[in-house]
Amino acid sequence: MEHSSDILLLTTKLKIPAPRKNYIVRHGLFEQLSRCRDMSIIFLSGGAGTGKTTLLSSFIHEKELKNVCWLSLDFTNTNVYTFWLYFTASVSPLLQDDGSLFNLMRTSPDTKYMENLLITLINRLWGDEEYYMVLDDVHCIHDEALIRTFEFFIESMPSNFHFFMLSREDPPVYLGPMAVSGRLLFVDGKQMQLTEEEGLAFLKDTMKLAGSEEELNQLNHFAEGWIGGLQLAAAAKAAGKYSGQLLRAGGGIASQYLTREIIDALTEKEQDFLIKTGYLSYFDADICNKLFQGFTKPEFDQMMERFMEKNLFLICLDEQNGIYRYHNILSEYLKQQFSCLPEEQKAECYRITAGAFEEKGDFEEALQEYCEAGNYKEVLRVAKAMEGRIEAWNYLDKVPIELLFQDTDLAAQCFIYNLGNLNMERCRVIYEKFKELYEDSDLFSIVDFAQIYFTNENGILPQYPALTDKQIDQVPYGPVVKAVLLIENAGALLEKMQYEEAENCIIKGIKIASGLNPFISFFAYNQLGQVYEELGRLNDSFSCYAKSKEVLKPINGLMGIETNYYFGLAGVYMRRMELQQAEDVLEQSRQLLEERHIHVDITDMTLAYHLAEMKFLRGDNDTAVSYVEGILSEYPNYSVLTLGRLLYELVCIDRLSESLSDKFLKELEAAKKYNQQPFMKLLHARILFKLGSTAEALKETEDILISSRLQHNKLRLVEAGILKIYMLSHVPVKVAVKREISNLLVEAIHYAQEDRILMPFYLDRVTLLPILKELYQKSAGSQLMSAAETAFLGETIVICGGETVKESKPEILSAREYEVLSQLSLGITNREIADKLCISQATVKTHVLSIFGKLGVSSRMLAVEKARKEGLI
């Protein structure tokens, strides 16, 4: 835990509340709870004040239960990120973790993607030791994404790990399997009610309440075994007032009762203290000293002692350091009372306590207070002091846009945060503001690169200028934003074929942001992997993705951009024709998009793009063509330049239509920067050759070969060499031509072997297979190629000859695809289908494209027509 704010905040959440002195031993319940070793879940359900926390803390103390960790929940830590952050911190001492697990957890704000982390935790928790985790106030959990990850953990957790769950409501997670297997112990509020004997013992021995036997019996009777009611009644009695109207089950009477019977009985100073501290998550002597101007620690301790004596709902979180919070009943009441104070007075309290939290190093709590107060200038100041720490980004997102842009560095951080979460609407707002203020400035570069995620104006592929080192150095951004700018600048350099500069740019970005924000490292290694893929350095690309995964580990994704990792990795697998691995990764990305309800066009289209490419590489050309036609139909606004590899694969099988070919040539001519890129030139040359412009096509291909040799671009050198072999194989054969073909093939094998660049050979397998076999025969026993190259040549022959092109037949549709197809037949929109089937529009699009592929069609109308002919609907 690198920051004191982490330690303090976690301490207050993770302390096991000390049981009251002279607590009553609940023999019957203790006997039930003693079965905890044989249970996976022990669920204690009861209304506020039914004594759940008291019961369990006293049980743990009485039975001297070992290996227990405790997590008290409230609304601030029941989203996916904060819940699992605190959960990890809670179990770390059990695992004797050195903090690495917790620090890894801190790398993602508001993330909803936790399964890899949970797998790591589950694996670490397996063992012979029995571990117990208490989750207090589980009813605070409502977040659907958290519930999904929580259920995943419960389904897979080891038998030596046991949950105590304390809740006012029914379980937020599904516990059916635990109940069926006999590993669920359920204790409800009725069971926790005190018996008359226990109630009297509680009033007399625990609460030390004086009074006649009759009076105490009356209190006990009206409370009906509700320990919270007894506490409130005892508090009123201690204050010298007694009311026979005791609250039942914590209903609306609680507020009236607290006011009339308890709060009114306190001194003005005590009332003021309660109201002005009631909104805090926790407080101690230092915070109160600042809030009440000179309130000394002895005075604070005396106040706490008086509150304890008066049996107020006060919980000691850390006895040694004197950290307290209020019971929820009292806290909710006090927050309501605080909200009635004059606005100026509330603002002053927020300001003082936020400052006190800052002094303690608890910046997140300070940000929370400033946000509550609407004091966004202070939010910006504290976030600035956090120097790009990822924990500040969620609070930055609450700042009004006009105020946010008082600091362009923080505005840029907020943009990065929302882009990472794929919150495209907020990205669009920030983008437009940047454009309004800084379109002609280098400051605009930080958002310009991302416009493809949420804009596709006229289908034109965005083009971004590369910045110079001097420009980047002079941009007034902090290290985290400057690192992102460097990483994205590498993308512009890559498009200009400045490969070494692009690599250095990313490495510099990694160094600048080192130790500040793991988000940047993840982002950087993904980008570097793409640079290396472009150069054909596939082994280096894999190394980058491994580092990227290590940054994610054990987090299943860094917000929404985890899809970048999966798509990038799948692309490298495809280059190497490791198709099963590629399919596995794409399936992970598909599940992520569906389960996390990510529905952004660029991600949906990218998944469909990769699935189409997989069909080409599996030799299922008819289905692949249908997929491409489906993409063109579903995403008409995107430039065909974005489909470059798919177009190349279409032309390789002679299935590129004349209209699509013409569209590509026109768009490429207009996109001046892109028409100089090696791959675009390769595709251009191949189309020219198909159109009969042989000399021009050969000249362009030779230019690519020369430049690729100079730039050490192995991938493009192999692709260009194979393309030239293809062209030369389709012109009148001469001896010199045959010699050149052989030399080109030897060169391609040489540069492809180390990184296993196999895809280009496979795409031209019909032309290459006889030539490859002839070369293999020549190489036997000769010095023409090294042993490694000869072995790779043999593998290439298998790849090219082993995959037969089969006549594609419609595949059997999945159950969900049948449902979507049935809705398509009604002529309704994707949105309407999504609403009817309770799935996202993104999922509908994915199913529609899959249906197109399986039926071998390119439109909804054709899909319905063919389905009817086949009797599918």
Side-chain angles (χ1 to χ4, degrees), residues 345-617:
Q345 195 171 355
K346 286 190 293 185
E348 181 67 6
C349 288
Y350 283 129
R351 183 189 66 79
I352 293 171
T353 52
F357 285 125
E358 273 194 78
E359 286 189 22
K360 288 182 174 293
D362 191 344
F363 298 119
E364 293 172 66
E365 194 67 33
L367 285 170
Q368 175 68 28
E369 299 302 328
Y370 284 133
C371 280
E372 287 289 337
N375 195 343
Y376 297 114
K377 288 185 178 180
E378 292 302 302
V379 171
L380 294 177
R381 181 185 60 77
V382 175
K384 191 72 172 178
M386 293 174 76
E387 297 181 330
R389 276 178 57 191
I390 209 164
E391 291 85 353
W393 287 1
N394 181 47
Y395 297 98
L396 279 178
D397 201 36
K398 301 177 191 295
V399 178
I401 193 74
E402 295 296 334
L403 191 58
L404 180 64
F405 269 83
Q406 290 186 4
D407 189 315
T408 51
D409 180 60
L410 294 179
Q413 289 183 46
C414 192
F415 180 83
I416 295 164
Y417 167 71
N418 282 281
L419 186 64
N421 276 316
L422 293 177
N423 183 359
M424 295 299 109
E425 190 52 44
R426 178 70 167 170
C427 281
R428 192 192 317 277
V429 171
I430 299 174
Y431 173 86
E432 293 298 337
K433 194 65 178 178
F434 262 105
K435 189 174 184 179
E436 174 190 334
L437 297 174
Y438 305 113
E439 185 173 15
D440 297 326
S441 163
D442 292 339
L443 289 168
F444 186 58
S445 300
I446 192 61
V447 298
D448 195 25
F449 77 88
Q451 65 168 292
I452 192 172
Y453 285 96
F454 50 90
T455 64
N456 42 67
E457 298 174 4
N458 302 318
I460 298 173
L461 197 65
Q463 302 183 41
Y464 318 104
L467 301 181
T468 65
D469 288 343
K470 183 178 180 181
Q471 284 176 298
I472 293 175
D473 288 339
Q474 291 179 347
V475 171
Y477 285 133
V480 166
V481 176
K482 190 166 287 188
V484 172
L485 190 57
L486 281 163
I487 295 161
E488 284 305 327
N489 197 56
L493 292 169
L494 185 63
E495 290 170 355
K496 295 175 67 177
M497 290 80 73
Q498 296 178 4
Y499 304 120
E500 185 176 354
E501 292 88 342
E503 180 182 11
N504 291 335
C505 219
I506 295 173
I507 292 171
K508 185 177 179 181
I510 292 172
K511 289 179 180 178
I512 287 177
S514 178
L516 290 177
N517 194 318
F519 174 98
I520 310 305
S521 297
F522 169 80
F523 193 29
Y525 284 120
N526 270 6
Q527 293 293 94
L528 191 57
Q530 292 176 30
V531 172
Y532 289 150
E533 181 186 353
E534 169 65 23
L535 290 169
R537 293 167 55 180
L538 303 187
N539 294 329
D540 290 335
S541 186
F542 272 133
S543 296
C544 285
Y545 285 114
K547 290 178 181 177
S548 181
K549 185 178 181 180
E550 191 64 30
V551 175
L552 285 173
K553 187 181 178 181
I555 303 165
N556 185 19
L558 191 59
M559 302 175 290
I561 63 164
E562 186 183 356
T563 53
N564 288 1
Y565 166 78
Y566 285 128
F567 291 148
L569 188 58
V572 182
Y573 279 131
M574 288 187 208
R575 300 282 192 196
R576 294 162 61 104
M577 292 298 291
E578 295 171 354
L579 302 185
Q580 187 56 56
Q581 293 93 321
E583 285 182 344
D584 291 344
V585 169
L586 288 175
E587 176 58 20
Q588 286 179 281
S589 66
R590 187 198 65 76
Q591 290 178 4
L592 184 147
L593 291 172
E594 184 170 343
E595 292 172 6
R596 275 62 171 183
H597 306 291
I598 298 172
H599 44 85
V600 179
D601 276 358
I602 188 67
T603 55
D604 298 340
M605 189 182 78
T606 304
L607 176 59
Y609 181 110
H610 281 80
L611 293 175
E613 192 161 25
M614 283 299 304
K615 293 297 182 181
F616 279 117
L617 299 183

Side-chain angles (χ1 to χ4, degrees), residues 54-68:
T54 301
L55 171 66
L56 197 54
S57 62
S58 58
F59 169 77
I60 291 168
H61 183 269
E62 182 76 13
K63 298 298 182 180
E64 298 182 346
L65 204 62
K66 306 298 183 185
N67 297 327
V68 180

Side-chain angles (χ1 to χ4, degrees), residues 581-787:
Q581 293 93 321
E583 285 182 344
D584 291 344
V585 169
L586 288 175
E587 176 58 20
Q588 286 179 281
S589 66
R590 187 198 65 76
Q591 290 178 4
L592 184 147
L593 291 172
E594 184 170 343
E595 292 172 6
R596 275 62 171 183
H597 306 291
I598 298 172
H599 44 85
V600 179
D601 276 358
I602 188 67
T603 55
D604 298 340
M605 189 182 78
T606 304
L607 176 59
Y609 181 110
H610 281 80
L611 293 175
E613 192 161 25
M614 283 299 304
K615 293 297 182 181
F616 279 117
L617 299 183
R618 288 293 190 188
D620 190 357
N621 293 332
D622 289 341
T623 304
V625 171
S626 295
Y627 264 77
V628 176
E629 291 173 346
I631 292 171
L632 292 168
S633 171
E634 289 296 313
Y635 304 98
N637 291 330
Y638 279 89
S639 166
V640 296
L641 300 182
T642 61
L643 304 182
R645 269 163 59 173
L646 295 181
L647 300 187
Y648 194 87
E649 285 147 4
L650 282 172
V651 76
C652 281
I653 62 171
D654 201 23
R655 299 284 290 272
L656 184 66
S657 67
E658 183 178 344
S659 61
L660 192 53
S661 175
D662 289 344
K663 188 173 183 181
F664 168 78
L665 294 174
K666 288 177 182 177
E667 287 195 18
L668 185 63
E669 184 179 359
K672 295 182 179 179
K673 186 167 65 172
Y674 290 102
N675 60 28
Q676 296 304 309
Q677 291 177 9
F679 180 76
M680 291 298 180
K681 293 180 73 172
L682 278 169
L683 178 52
H684 182 249
R686 188 139 198 162
I687 292 174
L688 288 178
F689 186 77
K690 287 286 185 183
L691 294 175
S693 301
T694 304
E696 187 179 351
L698 282 167
K699 172 66 169 60
E700 189 158 14
T701 304
E702 183 62 31
D703 289 343
I704 299 167
L705 276 168
I706 294 170
S707 63
S708 296
R709 290 181 187 122
L710 290 173
Q711 295 169 330
H712 307 289
N713 188 331
K714 294 191 287 186
L715 175 62
R716 301 310 173 198
L717 198 158
V718 171
E719 289 177 331
I722 290 173
L723 176 57
K724 191 169 183 182
I725 291 171
Y726 170 82
M727 293 177 180
L728 293 176
S729 299
H730 288 78
V731 298
V733 178
K734 299 179 182 178
V735 174
V737 170
K738 292 189 68 175
R739 188 181 304 113
E740 184 176 4
I741 288 173
S742 179
N743 291 339
L744 285 168
L745 192 53
V746 169
E747 182 182 35
I749 293 290
H750 172 74
Y751 284 105
Q753 174 265 320
E754 183 180 6
D755 290 273
R756 296 176 47 76
I757 304 171
L758 283 163
M759 184 198 286
F761 296 94
Y762 178 80
L763 292 178
D764 274 306
R765 59 194 179 280
V766 175
T767 298
L768 290 178
L769 190 57
I771 307 171
L772 288 166
K773 290 180 178 178
E774 183 180 348
L775 177 63
Y776 191 76
Q777 292 173 347
K778 286 182 181 179
S779 65
S782 72
Q783 301 298 315
L784 188 61
M785 293 186 294
S786 69

Side-chain angles (χ1 to χ4, degrees), residues 200 211-221 242:
L200 284 172
S212 68
E213 196 74 10
E214 181 181 353
E215 192 174 25
L216 295 180
N217 277 325
Q218 191 175 11
L219 284 173
N220 194 25
H221 174 74
Y242 167 70

